[in-house]
Amino acid sequence: MAGGEAGNRVGIWTRLERPGVSSLLLFCGLSIAYLLILQEHPYGDGITYLDYLLDGKLAFHHLLYLPTLWLFSQLGSLFGITVRTSAFAWSALAAAGAVSTVYYLLRTARTFRIEIAMPAGRAWVMTLLIALLVATAPSVLFYATQLENHANHLLWVSLFFLVLDRSLASLSPAPWILSGLVLTGAYASHSSILLLFPAILLLVHYYWNGPRLRLPEAPEILRLLLLFLPTLGFKYLIEPWIKGLQGDPNLAGDFGQDFALKLMEFRSAGWLASYFLEEVLFAAFGLWVLFFLFQLGKQDRRFPAACVMLGLLSYYLLFAHWPVRERGAYFLPLLPFAALALGKPLPLFQRFATPILLTLILSQATLGYRALRTHDRARGPWRTADLIASTVSQNTIVLCRSGVVQLHLKLDHHIDGQALENWMIGWAYSAKSIPRYWEILIETEILPKIDGIIDSRPLYLTQAGSEVLSADPGAAKILTALQKRYRFEARGEGASAGWMLHRRD
């Protein structure tokens, strides 16, 4: 009897050593864990994605994300799952898929082999701990439980490295064609992957020819064309056409590039340092610590490590000059890259590998969990929408400050609203080239439109919305004209403060 039980235990252990079985179990375990701690409120562009998804506008600037969400939400609807819940849940499954793909790649690598043998126990245990180090990174935890595109993008990048590993070990063009197609998928999920192209190019060159830089020969050129041309062809030939189907000329052009360049500003040394700590190191400090401990060892992984640093620098030079911080979102594609660039660890680390990795996993998981719960408890735009909704009736039209608040009013409370910040973008642009623009706008568009609304429905102007108008000398004339024409009845307080507009008797 005892011998039979021991045999069963050995059999189970042996099955767990199989990469496919353990990867599937890791995917299932992480999916459950992420689903159990899903956040409640969308972050960043999340509420916009949800609005586009519900309206059937699937050609947003990350082309592959919304169609994926739509398909997944259709599947969820068969089981009575709402679109909103499905949209959050997709991130959990995508992140779990990304981590299990990285784990499977580390277990079965043909090219990206790393020396991770442990003095005692089985080598795959350390591989599993490295995967859990990726899975519990604060940035991964946040976007695995959030309605956002970044977990979806991480999945595509992880799949790309898996296919690239197989391609580098093959002389056939077929794997390179597949690599090019998967890289195109990674681009279509988030165009920032273009910043990683120089590092990928050098990494591919290294595995063919070593660290010496020289002109590539004909076979290498062919494979590089198969790798990169599909993405470039998609970007310049197919993507503009797809976006043009939405009827928005901004989307049809190179909107993402123009938007990125407009956001770039000079930053102080203090800003750049704090950005690195917050967006890079803290967002995945466990993996970066491990990367450092591995790269200190004298081994042949210096060039792959340099490629990772080049990729990091490319992302950093762009995003560190933006005025926004995204909890490490833009640097997520570097996590599988860094994991694959690990080499032989220091002997001291190898001796204490398990306690070191468990400490890093538990500590960053704790901090990451606190961060996502802090987001849900924050006084975000959804709180402002809640307060406004408690102040006005449901058939009221609300002139609020931001588009995010407007969308929360629409999706959470079924209240129609208009975002004055969005209106100001077009107004300010037109005012630069049209003489007497503000007077013409007020007489021919603003006042007739407000009259039409007030004749049929209540109209509420929030104090935050009025501040958008008063901050601009030209737009302030709109506010003055409204005050002359309508009676302002004060309502609400704090974030919901504003005025009901009535015709003067």
Side-chain angles (χ1 to χ4, degrees):
M1 185 73 172
E5 291 178 357
N8 288 336
R9 285 197 295 271
V10 171
I12 293 172
W13 190 260
T14 301
R15 284 193 290 273
L16 287 176
E17 285 186 315
R18 297 174 184 171
V21 173
S22 52
S23 297
L24 180 60
L25 290 175
L26 179 63
F27 169 75
C28 293
L30 289 176
S31 295
I32 293 171
Y34 291 149
L35 288 170
L36 287 175
I37 58 173
L38 284 180
Q39 298 175 61
E40 297 177 16
H41 303 289
Y43 172 81
D45 287 334
I47 192 70
T48 306
Y49 291 135
L50 184 59
D51 182 52
Y52 277 26
L53 183 63
L54 292 169
D55 286 349
K57 299 177 181 178
L58 304 184
F60 199 50
H61 57 272
H62 305 310
L63 286 181
L64 202 56
Y65 179 55
L66 285 173
T68 303
L69 273 189
W70 183 84
L71 288 173
F72 187 71
S73 65
Q74 294 302 302
L75 178 63
S77 66
L78 298 177
F79 300 92
I81 302 173
T82 65
V83 171
R84 185 188 183 103
T85 301
S86 293
F88 274 92
W90 171 248
S91 291
L93 299 183
V99 175
S100 57
T101 299
V102 172
Y103 168 71
Y104 182 79
L105 175 52
L106 292 176
R107 290 286 308 278
T108 64
R110 300 173 186 174
T111 304
F112 300 129
R113 295 184 179 276
I114 60 177
E115 299 180 42
I116 54 175
M118 298 177 68
R122 301 168 187 266
W124 69 271
V125 174
M126 187 171 177
T127 310
L128 178 62
L129 292 175
I130 293 173
L132 291 176
L133 201 65
V134 176
T136 55
S139 55
V140 175
L141 273 179
F142 189 84
Y143 288 104
T145 58
Q146 178 57 248
L147 198 172
E148 251 287 4
N149 182 35
H150 300 296
N152 176 69
H153 182 52
L154 180 62
L155 173 60
W156 276 99
V157 175
S158 301
L159 290 172
F160 166 71
F161 279 114
L162 176 63
V163 177
L164 181 64
D165 173 78
R166 274 50 175 172
S167 300
L168 286 166
S170 173
L171 296 177
S172 170
W176 289 100
I177 294 173
L178 181 59
S179 293
L181 294 175
V182 178
L183 184 58
T184 303
Y187 167 79
S189 68
H190 202 290
S191 58
S192 64
I193 192 68
L194 291 173
L195 297 170
L196 204 56
F197 277 22
I200 294 172
L201 176 64
L202 289 178
L203 186 74
V204 169
H205 180 82
Y206 166 77
Y207 278 108
W208 273 327
N209 302 293
R212 290 188 305 113
L213 294 177
R214 61 172 181 78
L215 293 176
E217 297 177 353
E220 184 177 349
I221 293 175
L222 173 61
R223 289 172 175 81
L224 288 173
L225 290 175
L226 292 175
L227 181 61
F228 292 112
L229 267 186
T231 301
L232 298 177
F234 178 83
K235 173 179 173 57
Y236 291 107
L237 299 177
I238 300 176
E239 183 180 31
W241 175 75
I242 295 176
K243 291 180 176 179
L245 294 177
Q246 292 293 103
D248 187 335
N250 289 325
L251 288 180
D254 202 348
F255 175 75
Q257 176 180 305
D258 294 340
F259 177 73
L261 294 176
K262 287 178 181 178
L263 280 180
M264 291 191 71
E265 300 175 8
F266 174 78
R267 300 295 171 187
S268 66
W271 168 279
L272 295 175
S274 66
Y275 185 92
F276 179 83
L277 292 175
E278 181 180 333
E279 293 289 305
V280 179
L281 186 60
F282 173 76
F285 70 87
L287 186 62
W288 290 116
V289 168
L290 181 66
F291 182 79
F292 178 72
L293 290 172
F294 268 61
Q295 298 308 321
L296 280 179
K298 300 294 184 181
Q299 33 79 25
D300 61 351
R301 287 305 178 93
R302 292 176 182 172
F303 196 86
C307 290
V308 174
M309 292 298 102
L310 174 62
L312 175 60
L313 181 64
S314 299
Y315 280 85
Y316 184 76
L317 287 177
L318 176 65
F319 292 117
H321 291 84
W322 278 22
V324 295
R325 303 200 179 192
E326 289 285 334
R327 301 176 183 265
Y330 298 123
F331 299 90
L332 283 175
L334 291 167
L335 301 191
F337 200 176
L340 296 175
L342 297 176
K344 182 179 180 180
L346 290 173
L348 181 64
F349 170 81
Q350 199 159 340
R351 187 179 307 168
F352 302 103
T354 301
I356 290 175
L357 288 174
L358 286 176
T359 300
L360 290 173
I361 288 169
L362 291 173
S363 59
Q364 68 176 16
T366 301
L367 293 174
Y369 179 77
R370 288 178 58 190
L372 60 93
R373 287 295 169 247
T374 299
H375 168 71
D376 270 342
R377 292 192 295 267
R379 292 185 175 275
W382 54 89
R383 303 290 187 211
T384 301
D386 291 344
L387 292 171
I388 294 173
S390 66
T391 303
V392 302
S393 60
Q394 194 173 40
N395 69 328
T396 302
I397 291 183
V398 177
L399 302 180
C400 57
R401 182 189 190 102
S402 72
V404 179
V405 171
Q406 172 201 345
L407 289 176
H408 277 287
L409 284 169
K410 174 184 175 182
L411 298 178
D412 298 344
H413 303 284
H414 307 290
I415 293 177
D416 293 332
Q418 296 291 341
L420 292 174
E421 281 184 341
N422 295 349
W423 285 5
M424 275 298 301
I425 294 173
W427 290 344
Y429 179 81
S430 299
K432 294 178 181 179
S433 56
I434 302 175
R436 295 186 62 253
Y437 174 77
W438 295 108
E439 290 81 357
I440 296 171
L441 177 71
I442 291 169
E443 292 298 326
T444 63
E445 184 174 338
I446 299 296
L447 294 180
K449 189 170 187 177
I450 299 297
D451 282 343
I453 292 174
I454 290 180
D455 287 342
S456 59
R457 299 172 66 178
L459 180 66
Y460 189 69
L461 171 65
T462 67
Q463 181 176 324
S466 72
E467 290 169 357
V468 174
L469 301 178
S470 60
D472 183 278
K477 297 177 182 179
I478 297 176
L479 190 59
T480 301
L482 293 178
Q483 290 170 338
K484 289 181 178 179
R485 193 178 186 96
Y486 307 106
R487 178 170 54 85
F488 280 46
E489 177 193 349
R491 287 275 189 91
E493 58 184 15
S496 69
W499 305 271
M500 298 296 303
L501 269 61
H502 305 281
R503 285 186 178 275
R504 291 190 178 275
D505 297 332

